[in-house]
Amino acid sequence: MGGSVLPLGFLQVGRDAVVRELGNGRNLTQRLLEMGIVRGTRVRIIKNDMGGPLIISIGDGRLAIGRGMALKILVEEESKA
Amino acid sequence: MEAAQAIENEKQIVVALAGNPNSGKTTIFNSLTGSHQQVGNWPGVTVEKKEGQLVSEGKVIRVVDLPGTYSLGAYSEDEAVARDYILFEKPDVVINIVDTTNLERNLYLTTQLLEMGANVVIALNMSDELKAKQIDINVAKFSELLGIPAVQTVGTRNQGTKELVLQALQATGNKKPRVVQINYGKEVETELAALEQDILSNRQLTENFASRWLAVKVLEGDQGILKGLAKYSGLDRLLVRRAEAVKRLEGLLGEDIESLIADKRYGFIGGLAKEVVTRRQTTEERFSMSDKIDRIVTNRYLGIPIFLLAMWTMFQFTFKVGDPFIGWIETFFEWFGGVAGAWLESAGMPELLMSLIVDGIIGGVGSVLVFIPNIFLLFFAISILEDSGYMARAAFIMDRLMHTLGLHGKSFIPLLIGFGCNVPAVMASRTLENKRDRLITILITPLMSCTARLPVYILFAGAFFSANQGLIIFSLYLLGLVLAILMGMLFKRFLFKGGTSHFVMELPPYRVPTLKSTFIHMWEKGSSFIRKAGTIIFAVVVLVWVLSNLPVGVEYASQESILGWIGSFVAPIFKPAGFGTWEAAVALVFGILAKEVVVGTLGVIYGAGEAGLTAAIAQAWTPLSAYAFMVMTLLYIPCAAVIGTIKRETNSWGWTGFAAAYTLVLGWLMAVLVYQFGRLVGLG
Ligand SMILES: Nc1nc2c(ncn2[C@@H]2O[C@H](COP(=O)(O)OP(=O)(O)OP(=O)(O)O)[C@@H](O)[C@H]2O)c(=O)[nH]1
Ligand SMILES: [Mg+2]
């Protein structure tokens, strides 16, 4: 552990990370919470073109997340296994 | 009949199906009630509540299928339907359909239903997929830990549904359902207790809601719930208390209150999951099959070409496979018209009645029915698209493009649904959280070419472009889509300024559609087309026939008939578009009632038999004016059913009128543009 904290949208495909901070904006936060993204949630980047939306995995589920939102979610990257 | 009446009078048991989007609610609803509501593999298929009935153990149960929702917070219109039903209609039992392959997220809603004190029975659905992933759930333990009944189900195979009904029936006797309490931690609990005291002193609130649950919702500041509660007095005071409490807590714990509460809920859920879930697979698969497909399908360069290819394939399939059938049906109607005519004549039928049957019904309705095979085939293809999971991917692919135009990727799903029929497409806009996005989507959806317009294209493309029929028709579908996106951009820029909202959407796993379900879906949609042919199309065609015989003594379907007058009155407008004949004009006028009627009207005017119709059309149009006519049919004024739906969904005659007006202007402009430009480059 002990990776750096950075926006979710910056992560490369295949990387794992733990959510540290959800951006502000109450509707946004609520929606993310109820869709399973809370502080401490482990996510993996399935697809990220560094432009346009990305796909992340949370457990067995897959979420599409718009770029704007992905830049507001801060995560801590897990060091490569 | 009487027995049914007696059962009717007994107090009905009401069971509501609630759960996350795409968890299989409608699938289970259909198998419980024998209904045929739309099912599809993307989140947000059901957008209104649907009811059905079921008789079990001699009791009649009213089953209510609700739109999917992730919480009771209700950001969008469809979620509000689900929230309002659960909160205010108070069904006897709530069957919570849980997608077990996403157990923890699905249980987030469950915890709130349980806190509410709803009478919950859980269906652990998709257990086949769970099994395939080598994951087990200890159902007995799960049920015991939560203190409520739970049943494993496979909605698509109708497994476990009987047991589910039995459990629900048993639960109705349960007058005091177990209220699950999550411990939110000392500091939060103190504030909750204070709020609950306040709530308990408000009779109106305690009569309707569990006080503890309400305290949590108020503290959490759940806007959806608070809006729903605005009608109760004493809420203001609660909100003042809440603001103080939130300030204290956030100061004390250094976190926002929503996250604090959600953390505890997921903590509870995680604890539960740990107790009941076992994974047999030791090595974790980093990328699933769906992920691998998504790599290609949603690729930044390949995504849109693949989408276009899929569309093209869909329409090619519709023609290539449908074409031989058309010939057979045509031959049948020609033969049938002839035989019926001869028979009626020999039976001494009055000439007028004979004309009604041969020219009106066989000529008019028959000319539409010819296209049944194509329409069924298109529905077949659409149904594969809907069941596969591609719909959500299409939204994903388009999000980048739509975003730069100021629209939302999710808006693309209603547009795609529009290929089938614009009515459910307009309704699907309910899933958009932002009001402006929703209104824009409603306005542009009618530009999507629905199956009702297909007969017009096939008829005209068959008469003029038989070599490139598929390509010509594909170009029309594409034109509709491109114009929809462009108009959306214009509306966004000039009518609804403001930032774009956020895009988050669940991507369901790809599923291979079964032949059986695809056929069932095709049949459902296709038979509604046949019903339409027997009702509205039939009625309008008869009306057209009557008008072509009036005033009394006029030559049938001539310019001097009332039909001719109407057409001649409107026709000059279309002169610049190349189809300024009264026949074309009147077909478009009546086509507003239902787009198939454009063909039906021409069938009545030009007489029975599609071969005859094709020949007549080849006389009255040129290839260029035929294309302009198809463009006009595609774009101008949505049909009556869509206009009605737009009115209902926007709740405004103003916007409804605007939708009709702008599409008319756009259709005319495009048709004129096509014709004039075509002439300029020498195509005329
Ligand atoms: N493998 C599997 N698929 C299922 C099961 N139940 C439903 N499905 C599929 O899951 C998808 C979603 O089903 P729906 O019944 O439309 O889901 P819903 O909960 O009504 O969805 P919304 O109306 O969008 O909230 C469809 O493709 C179904 O065929 C199941 O038990 N196993
Ligand atoms: Mg549904």
Side-chain angles (χ1 to χ4, degrees):
Chain A
M1 289 295 276
S4 51
V5 173
L6 73 174
L8 180 65
F10 287 6
L11 286 189
Q12 303 275 337
V13 173
R15 301 312 302 267
D16 295 298
V18 176
V19 176
R20 287 289 167 234
E21 201 75 55
L22 302 179
N24 38 16
R26 96 170 297 121
N27 274 354
L28 169 70
T29 316
Q30 280 277 5
R31 180 106 270 185
L32 289 174
L33 293 178
E34 63 188 43
M35 291 185 88
I37 303 184
V38 270
R39 224 163 298 171
T41 305
R42 301 189 45 161
V43 298
R44 172 176 304 152
I45 311 292
I46 301 295
K47 182 181 168 61
N48 185 0
D49 285 337
M50 301 295 165
L54 46 157
I55 303 178
I56 61 169
S57 84
I58 300 173
D60 290 307
R62 300 291 180 269
L63 282 187
I65 292 195
R67 173 84 12 202
M69 205 173 220
L71 293 177
K72 287 192 181 138
I73 300 170
L74 298 181
V75 297
E76 185 174 325
E77 193 172 359
E78 292 195 337
S79 43
K80 257 186 203 151
Chain B
M1 228 13 239
E2 256 163 47
Q5 203 60 47
I7 298 175
E8 194 79 50
N9 291 336
E10 221 177 283
K11 192 193 164 309
Q12 274 190 357
I13 298 166
V14 181
V15 173
L17 302 183
N20 280 186
N22 212 45
S23 57
K25 296 175 296 300
T26 307
T27 309
I28 290 185
F29 174 81
N30 284 344
S31 57
L32 288 181
T33 62
S35 315
H36 301 282
Q37 296 301 338
Q38 164 101 38
V39 168
N41 193 17
W42 77 89
V45 179
T46 309
V47 294
E48 55 181 345
K49 86 175 196 256
K50 299 278 185 184
E51 305 204 0
Q53 256 190 7
L54 150 78
V55 181
S56 173
E57 314 258 289
K59 291 205 174 97
V60 178
I61 305 175
R62 190 149 65 85
V63 186
V64 181
D65 183 26
L66 295 172
T69 178
Y70 292 107
S71 73
L72 299 170
Y75 304 96
S76 52
E77 211 58 43
D78 59 327
E79 290 178 303
V81 172
R83 175 204 65 201
D84 289 347
Y85 194 85
I86 297 169
L87 276 191
F88 302 118
E89 305 282 323
K90 304 224 185 294
D92 297 305
V93 177
V94 175
I95 295 185
N96 178 201
I97 314 272
V98 166
D99 169 2
T100 40
T101 61
N102 279 301
L103 187 66
E104 306 197 7
R105 192 202 63 212
N106 274 254
L107 289 179
Y108 190 74
L109 175 67
T110 311
T111 56
Q112 297 178 58
L113 293 173
L114 290 173
E115 282 188 312
M116 242 181 90
N119 213 345
V120 179
V121 173
I122 292 188
L124 294 166
N125 198 33
M126 311 256 178
S127 41
D128 54 333
E129 288 190 359
L130 195 72
K131 208 163 158 194
K133 285 177 191 271
Q134 307 216 358
I135 303 174
D136 292 323
I137 289 189
N138 183 339
V139 184
K141 196 161 183 193
F142 175 84
S143 165
E144 186 196 311
L145 286 175
L146 278 179
I148 48 167
V151 180
Q152 268 195 313
T153 57
V154 182
T156 36
R157 276 188 243 136
N158 205 2
Q159 281 170 17
T161 46
K162 267 220 182 79
E163 171 71 12
L164 193 61
V165 174
L166 290 181
Q167 291 292 352
L169 270 179
Q170 251 175 35
T172 50
N174 184 5
K175 288 289 165 259
K176 269 221 157 313
R178 201 193 120 154
V179 178
V180 169
Q181 287 224 1
I182 291 170
N183 188 338
Y184 290 104
K186 199 169 120 247
E187 293 83 358
V188 176
E189 286 295 336
T190 316
E191 299 293 350
L192 280 176
L195 277 174
E196 196 176 350
Q197 275 310 313
D198 244 23
I199 292 166
L200 283 171
S201 66
N202 185 333
R203 174 88 56 79
Q204 243 194 340
L205 289 177
T206 45
E207 266 172 13
N208 288 294
F209 305 102
S211 55
R212 156 91 185 178
W213 169 79
L214 195 54
V216 174
K217 283 291 151 195
V218 169
L219 188 63
E220 195 181 0
D222 190 321
Q223 293 303 316
I225 302 273
L226 294 180
K227 244 181 257 160
L229 294 180
K231 59 182 175 189
Y232 296 99
S233 61
L235 196 73
D236 303 346
R237 211 172 52 133
L238 265 181
L239 289 180
V240 174
R241 292 265 167 143
R242 176 202 178 242
E244 294 164 3
V246 169
K247 210 190 241 154
R248 273 195 297 273
L249 282 173
E250 297 192 341
L252 209 60
L253 302 170
E255 277 196 69
D256 60 302
I257 189 74
E258 298 105 313
S259 301
L260 273 173
I261 291 183
D263 280 352
K264 292 290 179 191
R265 283 199 189 117
Y266 278 112
F268 172 83
I269 294 167
L272 179 69
K274 208 175 250 157
E275 295 275 327
V276 299
V277 175
T278 31
R279 283 175 185 263
R280 271 179 286 144
Q281 206 171 27
T282 42
T283 52
E284 185 198 11
E285 195 183 32
R286 285 186 68 84
F287 293 100
S288 68
M289 191 62 200
S290 282
D291 294 336
K292 287 170 193 152
I293 300 175
D294 276 339
R295 286 256 174 96
I296 303 165
V297 165
T298 64
N299 179 284
R300 121 196 262 181
Y301 304 107
L302 294 179
I304 291 182
I306 290 177
F307 169 76
L308 292 176
L309 184 72
M311 254 176 74
W312 187 80
T313 313
M314 198 159 104
F315 298 119
Q316 281 298 325
F317 166 79
T318 306
F319 293 103
K320 286 273 146 59
V321 182
D323 211 36
F325 291 99
I326 293 193
W328 300 339
I329 300 185
E330 261 169 28
T331 318
F332 169 77
F333 273 110
E334 253 163 71
W335 168 83
F336 184 64
V339 171
W343 183 77
L344 293 173
E345 205 172 342
S346 69
M349 180 77 72
E351 202 175 316
L352 197 64
L353 204 58
M354 227 176 75
S355 156
L356 170 64
I357 292 172
V358 176
D359 301 325
I361 297 171
I362 299 177
V365 181
S367 61
V368 178
L369 288 181
V370 167
F371 301 104
I372 283 183
N374 303 90
I375 286 173
F376 271 67
L377 286 167
L378 185 56
F379 282 137
F380 184 86
I382 287 176
S383 150
I384 290 179
L385 192 73
E386 290 181 342
D387 288 348
S388 65
Y390 187 70
M391 297 285 278
R393 271 70 186 190
F396 181 92
I397 295 161
M398 290 296 167
D399 184 63
R400 184 201 300 257
L401 174 70
M402 303 275 273
H403 217 83
T404 53
L405 303 178
L407 296 171
H408 202 284
K410 248 191 195 171
S411 297
F412 201 67
I413 290 184
L415 294 184
L416 280 182
I417 295 174
F419 280 141
C421 172
N422 291 174
V423 171
V426 168
M427 296 194 56
S429 69
R430 288 184 180 188
T431 55
L432 297 166
E433 288 127 40
N434 180 302
K435 286 233 151 44
R436 271 171 296 167
D437 290 345
R438 179 164 179 231
L439 197 48
I440 292 175
T441 308
I442 290 177
L443 290 176
I444 61 178
T445 298
L447 301 178
M448 298 304 289
S449 191
C450 64
T451 36
R453 298 168 210 180
L454 192 61
V456 184
Y457 306 156
I458 302 180
L459 180 64
F460 279 79
F464 294 100
F465 309 99
S466 52
N468 304 312
Q469 212 177 358
L471 205 62
I472 290 287
I473 298 179
F474 179 64
S475 74
L476 289 161
Y477 278 86
L478 206 57
L479 179 70
L481 181 58
V482 169
L483 285 175
I485 293 175
L486 287 179
M487 290 313 291
M489 187 180 79
L490 283 183
F491 292 152
K492 178 77 183 188
R493 187 142 308 161
F494 296 109
L495 293 179
F496 310 94
K497 293 201 185 83
T500 37
S501 51
H502 288 287
F503 176 66
V504 233
M505 196 166 100
E506 194 186 340
L507 294 180
Y510 287 101
R511 298 196 167 101
V512 181
T514 63
L515 204 57
K516 185 177 151 215
S517 75
T518 309
F519 265 104
I520 291 177
H521 296 166
M522 173 191 80
W523 178 251
E524 282 310 314
K525 290 176 174 153
S527 55
S528 80
F529 165 76
I530 296 180
R531 225 170 302 135
K532 192 175 168 194
T535 51
I536 169 130
I537 297 175
F538 180 85
V540 177
V541 160
V542 169
L543 174 70
V544 168
W545 177 84
V546 169
L547 294 181
S548 62
N549 275 301
L550 289 178
V552 178
V554 78
E555 188 193 337
Y556 172 74
S558 64
Q559 198 165 358
E560 283 69 44
S561 64
I562 295 190
L563 198 69
W565 299 349
I566 299 174
S568 309
F569 179 73
V570 181
I573 305 175
F574 298 122
K575 203 157 182 77
F579 47 88
T581 61
W582 73 264
E583 292 93 338
V586 82
L588 288 172
V589 168
F590 283 95
I592 295 171
L593 293 170
K595 297 268 164 118
E596 297 94 333
V597 168
V598 172
V599 169
T601 305
L602 294 175
V604 172
I605 296 173
Y606 291 126
E610 215 233 325
L613 190 52
T614 308
I617 283 170
Q619 289 284 312
W621 272 266
T622 66
L624 184 59
S625 71
Y627 194 78
F629 185 75
M630 288 191 274
V631 169
M632 183 71 190
T633 309
L634 161 68
L635 301 172
Y636 89 108
I637 310 189
C639 76
V642 174
I643 291 178
T645 311
I646 295 178
K647 165 67 180 58
R648 202 154 38 98
E649 296 296 305
T650 59
N651 204 7
S652 145
W653 279 116
W655 285 119
T656 312
F658 177 75
Y662 103 82
T663 48
L664 179 62
V665 173
L666 181 68
W668 183 83
L669 275 177
M670 289 305 296
V672 171
L673 209 67
V674 164
Y675 186 68
Q676 297 299 342
F677 183 77
R679 287 222 314 188
L680 213 64
V681 299
L683 291 173

